[in-house]
Amino acid sequence: MKVHHLNCGTFDSPLAGTIVCHALACETDNGIVLVDTGFGLADLADRSRRLGPLPRLMGAKFFESETAVRRLEGLGFATSDVTHIVATHLDFDHIGGAGDFPNATIHTTAVEDAAARARASASDKVRYRPAQQPPDSEMRTYSGPGEPLLGFPDAHRLDTIGDGFFLLPLPGHTKGHAAVAVDTGNGWLVHAGDAFYHHSVVAPPGVDSPGFQGRFMRVVEKVLADDRSRISENHRRLRELNTQQSSHVTVFCAHDRKQLEELQQRG
């Protein structure tokens, strides 16, 4: 499987620095599978209705060239080539581009889909945008017992996509948040979404200092989390997974610029 690491949205702020929206485009026998989408063309055209004020306050830049549809066109693909989208969660900066791919089925946990539709809490009303919510006909959701995978007891195999794609439930940032595991044939890529924000979280102890940005992003992570009590345990599980070199696993998050650039250089 050939995997392209794409930046599908940029934020820039004095304290956090440059933050990316890391998405994957996976070439499979059944078409292109996207993992997250960043912002979409409709988001840029109608920011107030589709996104609300928070992205601008966070320093969003809104470049059309960074949307997933334009990134894929630059790689020689058409919108019809995208057959599936796997969402770590349904926040506005992760699902906004889904509407640019009308032929795609969107996969997420049933808990996340229900939370996005209910928008029960004040924070849910900010993070989940009704104008971005895909129709039921485009959604496939997963719940109940799964199967053991990479130390997770209840992974959901995404059979309709084909071999090699799994949702790993990892609630905390949102109620139904999940990491997405991709078996590339040369090892595992684990897109952890917003389960952490800075590369130092999954580095071995003492190897990578968080610095000011890393410490600041951990504060942001707590502010934005639906359940703060789960953050430390999620960090521990992902760090343990990332440092098991024999299992050929690479763990990365959605918003860390350094991780994105390293994976792009690695090809």
Side-chain angles (χ1 to χ4, degrees):
M1 184 189 302
K2 185 173 184 178
V3 179
H4 304 272
H5 295 268
L6 311 176
N7 178 25
C8 295
T10 297
F11 297 85
D12 200 358
S13 71
L15 293 176
T18 299
I19 298 171
V20 299
C21 293
H22 188 162
L24 304 181
C26 307
E27 297 185 36
T28 77
D29 293 339
N30 298 317
I32 300 296
V33 178
L34 291 177
V35 178
D36 282 355
T37 67
F39 295 118
L41 294 177
D43 297 331
L44 275 61
D46 191 357
R47 299 174 194 173
S48 177
R49 183 177 68 91
R50 286 182 62 88
L51 299 174
L54 187 57
R56 177 64 71 182
L57 294 173
M58 294 170 62
K61 293 303 182 183
F62 301 121
F63 299 122
E64 182 176 330
S65 60
E66 290 186 346
T67 60
V69 65
R70 297 291 183 248
R71 293 290 196 194
L72 289 174
E73 287 172 353
L75 294 170
F77 298 109
T79 57
S80 58
D81 292 325
V82 177
T83 53
H84 297 277
I85 297 169
V86 188
T88 59
H89 59 301
L90 300 177
D91 277 3
F92 59 79
D93 54 335
H94 293 257
I95 198 61
D100 294 327
F101 306 100
N103 297 328
T105 299
I106 301 165
H107 304 257
T108 193
T109 66
V111 172
E112 184 68 5
D113 183 56
R117 295 183 187 281
R119 301 177 75 232
S121 68
S123 61
D124 285 351
K125 287 178 171 61
V126 173
R127 69 178 353 130
Y128 301 127
R129 305 299 299 175
Q132 291 182 331
Q133 182 67 42
D136 286 339
S137 60
E138 297 177 5
M139 299 294 296
R140 174 147 186 169
T141 62
Y142 302 82
S143 62
E147 60 185 90
L149 181 76
L150 299 175
F152 289 78
D154 292 311
H156 301 298
R157 183 187 297 269
L158 309 187
D159 287 328
T160 57
I161 296 179
D163 293 337
F165 291 87
F166 298 82
L167 282 168
L168 310 178
L170 204 63
H173 178 70
T174 66
K175 294 177 179 63
H177 185 281
V180 179
V182 181
D183 183 0
T184 69
N186 293 314
W188 288 91
L189 294 174
V190 176
H191 191 316
D194 286 4
F196 68 98
Y197 283 163
H198 193 264
H199 54 269
S200 61
V201 168
V202 294
V207 170
D208 201 342
S209 171
F212 174 81
Q213 185 190 39
R215 291 191 293 271
F216 177 75
M217 292 308 293
R218 293 194 190 194
V219 173
V220 172
E221 182 177 3
K222 291 180 180 179
V223 170
L224 297 179
D226 177 77
D227 186 350
R228 299 177 188 176
S229 68
R230 293 180 179 266
I231 292 176
S232 294
E233 176 62 13
N234 288 344
H235 286 185
R236 184 197 65 77
R237 295 174 73 184
L238 292 168
R239 184 185 309 111
E240 182 178 273
L241 181 60
N242 194 50
T243 53
Q244 292 175 347
Q245 298 299 329
S246 61
S247 60
H248 305 291
V249 177
T250 301
V251 178
F252 55 93
C253 66
H255 297 303
D256 189 282
R257 180 183 180 183
K258 179 180 178 181
Q259 288 185 315
L260 172 64
E261 292 176 347
E262 287 179 347
L263 287 163
Q264 287 175 332
Q265 292 170 5
R266 192 186 305 176

